[in-house]
Amino acid sequence: MPAGRRLRLPALRVVLQAWPWGLLLLALVGVRLSKGAGFSDAYALVSRPFWPGSAQAEWIRSAQGLDDQSRLRQLEVDNRRLRGLLELQGRGGQQVAAPVISRQAGGWWQQLVIGGGELQGIRPGLPVLAPGGLLGRVASVTPTTATVALLTDPGSRVGVWVGRTQRHGLLTGVGTSRPVLRFLEKDPGVRPGDVVVTSPASTLVPPNLTVGVIQSVDDRAVPATEAVVQLSAPVEAVDWVQVRLP
Amino acid sequence: MNRLARHGWCLATALVVPWLVLASPGPLKLAGVPPAWPVLWLLPWALVDGPLSGALAGVGLGLLLDGLHLGPITEIPALALLGWWWGRLGRKGPPIERSFNLGLLALLGTALLGASLILQALLLGAWQTAPALHTWLAQTLLTGLLAPLLCSLQLLLWRQQTSGGRG
């Protein structure tokens, strides 16, 4: 390069002629600054017909369910271990499955007869579960059958609590499909939709078993507030139950 | 003991009652309430075999059914009373065989049986009145409707077994 040669800027005319390239550069900068918003939106618009359909959604839900089950199992194991350390009720985890061989959920008596008895380790007083939650307790056993007093049976009394407000009450069967929850205090602060589970303080049934959902609340009941509970386990549709052994 | 009770197989048909109570067939329910099966068996039996046999059959059925049910409430007194009453009705007056009469007797009997259960429950403070009344009404109506069909057939069968003897 010859010495003393001056650096020359491009002529203004040339710069003006390259305006489309400048525009493109500005657009690219805009894309960069907006994190590719325009491109993503355009891609979404174009690719919408090929988006994952219901089959993929089912797979995802199934995988999510599997994940939830596995985490639940792990939490139950942890919970049992911790309750064992604290020597609280509900350490047992073994369950015996038994078919429902007689169902008398209407009429004068609310009971089930299940096809499992003393030979399977079932004893009076054990909690009986169904998909959805607690169904009742074993009232009497024979070698091969057991009679279950449903939560709706007039003789049934189970200690429960409302998890949201942490208020205890006594779930009492009254002979209808919806038992009554009698709270121990006047203003428990519950409302329809609250979930009812077995009480952690109960000595009769394991803690935190789902029982049902509060359907209506009577604040004027005497001596304390009462609520009608819709049970979560469908008694009329259950064909198999689980008896939780001690 | 009377004529019908001498036939062992006739007496053995009483075992159908607890079987039906346990099976509790869905199509034969009204608003989830089953009929009073012991009433439907006891009525023709007592009409044919007399008050003593009826009362004893009522006691037997009551014992059987009380064993299947939870709680201290019993069906024995009402069933024994019904067996004795229907047995006397069968012994006195013309034979009862019209469908309406059978339906009416079953209706009254079921009402009496339900009332005895409600009375015991009220004394024990176990049941609420409203659901008990629902069960009482539904069972009484259903049993009264089924009785003409089921009791007529049994009545016919038992009368054949007793050689056309008067009920």
Side-chain angles (χ1 to χ4, degrees):
Chain A
M1 183 179 291
R5 189 174 174 179
R6 288 171 47 195
L7 183 67
R8 282 191 295 179
L9 290 171
L12 184 61
R13 186 177 53 85
V14 176
V15 172
L16 287 177
Q17 278 179 346
W19 69 266
W21 295 106
L23 210 59
L24 179 65
L25 183 66
L26 276 177
L28 290 175
V29 170
V31 168
R32 172 66 185 86
L33 291 177
S34 66
K35 300 288 183 189
F39 272 95
S40 298
D41 292 337
Y43 174 74
L45 190 67
V46 171
S47 65
R48 187 174 289 271
F50 308 102
W51 279 9
S54 57
Q56 283 91 336
E58 287 296 324
W59 293 346
I60 297 296
R61 267 199 289 276
S62 166
Q64 182 68 46
L66 198 65
D67 180 41
D68 288 346
Q69 279 179 10
S70 133
R71 286 174 55 209
L72 181 64
R73 206 169 294 123
Q74 190 57 43
L75 286 171
E76 275 184 348
V77 170
D78 280 354
N79 191 25
R80 255 199 316 275
R81 185 176 56 79
L82 292 170
R83 295 190 73 84
L85 289 173
L86 294 171
E87 296 182 346
L88 288 174
Q89 164 80 14
R91 280 180 296 158
Q94 283 196 330
Q95 295 187 343
V96 172
V100 176
I101 58 175
S102 169
R103 191 193 322 266
Q104 296 170 60
W108 302 111
W109 289 273
Q110 274 81 36
Q111 61 183 47
L112 299 178
V113 180
I114 58 174
E118 273 182 310
L119 295 177
Q120 284 77 37
I122 296 173
R123 300 281 180 272
L126 293 180
V128 179
L129 308 171
L134 184 66
L135 210 57
R137 293 173 61 217
V138 176
S140 63
V141 290
T142 68
T144 57
T145 68
T147 305
V148 179
L150 297 173
L151 292 175
T152 53
D153 187 79
S156 168
R157 306 275 188 281
V158 174
V160 296
W161 81 333
V162 178
R164 188 178 64 80
T165 58
Q166 303 194 343
R167 292 288 186 270
H168 288 267
L170 194 64
L171 190 75
T172 310
V174 290
T176 64
S177 59
R178 297 182 184 93
V180 171
L181 172 53
R182 297 195 166 102
F183 287 96
L184 306 179
E185 54 210 1
K186 190 66 187 165
D187 187 17
V190 296
R191 59 183 180 226
D194 282 345
V195 177
V196 179
V197 298
T198 52
S199 168
S202 174
T203 55
L204 298 176
V205 289
N208 301 321
L209 298 175
T210 309
V211 171
V213 176
I214 290 182
Q215 197 176 43
S216 62
V217 180
D218 181 6
D219 286 320
R220 288 180 293 181
V222 175
T225 302
E226 290 183 359
V228 175
V229 176
Q230 173 69 53
L231 298 177
S232 52
V235 178
E236 291 292 347
V238 168
D239 284 334
W240 282 80
V241 296
Q242 306 276 336
V243 183
R244 188 170 282 195
L245 301 181
Chain B
M1 193 58 73
N2 298 290
R3 294 158 296 177
L4 197 54
R6 290 203 191 105
H7 300 279
W9 74 269
C10 295
L11 202 56
T13 58
L15 294 175
V16 173
V17 174
W19 185 82
L20 282 168
V21 168
L22 284 174
S24 192
L28 292 177
K29 283 183 180 175
L30 182 64
V33 180
W37 295 112
V39 166
L40 292 173
W41 183 87
L42 187 62
L43 173 60
W45 178 276
L47 284 176
V48 172
D49 223 25
L52 180 62
S53 175
L56 288 176
V59 171
L61 267 183
L63 286 169
L64 213 57
L65 295 176
D66 282 356
L68 297 177
H69 292 139
L70 299 172
I73 294 171
T74 175
E75 296 183 73
I76 294 175
L79 288 178
L81 186 66
L82 287 174
W84 177 79
W85 176 45
W86 287 333
R88 279 180 63 84
L89 281 181
R91 284 278 184 264
K92 294 181 175 177
I96 294 171
E97 49 199 13
R98 291 177 68 94
S99 296
F100 177 78
N101 293 341
L102 289 172
L104 187 64
L105 284 177
L107 191 113
L108 291 174
T110 311
L112 183 72
L113 177 64
S116 84
L117 298 178
I118 291 175
L119 188 67
Q120 293 176 66
L122 289 178
L123 290 174
L124 293 168
W127 293 343
Q128 281 193 348
T129 314
L133 280 178
H134 164 262
T135 304
W136 183 69
L137 280 173
Q139 191 167 64
T140 302
L141 186 63
L142 183 59
T143 311
L145 289 172
L146 284 176
L149 177 67
L150 299 178
C151 293
S152 309
L153 292 172
Q154 289 176 82
L155 211 55
L156 192 65
L157 185 64
W158 298 151
R159 286 200 170 134
Q160 281 176 350
Q161 290 303 310
T162 51
S163 311
R166 193 180 163 205

